[in-house]
Amino acid sequence: DKFSSGTFINPDGNYERIKPEEIKISVTDFWISPDGRRYPAGWIMIIPKHSINIKITPYIKNQEHKLSFRYWEGAVLLSGKFNGRSLSGKGYVELTGY
């Protein structure tokens, strides 16, 4: 959506904005909360321009927060390829509007 954005940062510190149309994200799994809200809970992110293919997996699926509005946010594990080389890492995902 119009609020989505990304930045690719090179090892030398130079960066470029990633346009939404340059990113492909596919949902691979879901988690359903006890009250029936259905949240995506696993993704594949591909950025062809930078030869990136990443699997994103939540540490735990139930990372729903019940404050003035409900949303899902939490820690994720990353694995995949960048320019043909294996990568791994940790990240953070926030989902609203469910």
Side-chain angles (χ1 to χ4, degrees), residues 11-12 14 17-18 23 30 38 44 47 75 82 85 96:
D12 65 7
N14 288 320
R17 301 301 268 164
I18 299 171
I23 302 171
F30 291 90
R38 187 173 186 240
I44 297 290
I47 306 173
F82 171 55
R85 294 174 44 197
T96 60

Side-chain angles (χ1 to χ4, degrees), residues 40-75:
W43 306 265
I44 297 290
M45 181 176 68
I46 299 172
I47 306 173
K49 180 178 179 179
H50 295 288
S51 300
I52 296 172
N53 186 322
I54 299 174
K55 180 180 180 183
I56 304 166
T57 307
Y59 274 96
I60 57 172
K61 289 183 181 181
N62 180 1
Q63 296 190 73
E64 181 183 47
H65 295 266
K66 300 174 185 175
L67 301 173
S68 58
F69 64 96
R70 290 187 182 192
Y71 64 101
W72 189 101
E73 71 174 356

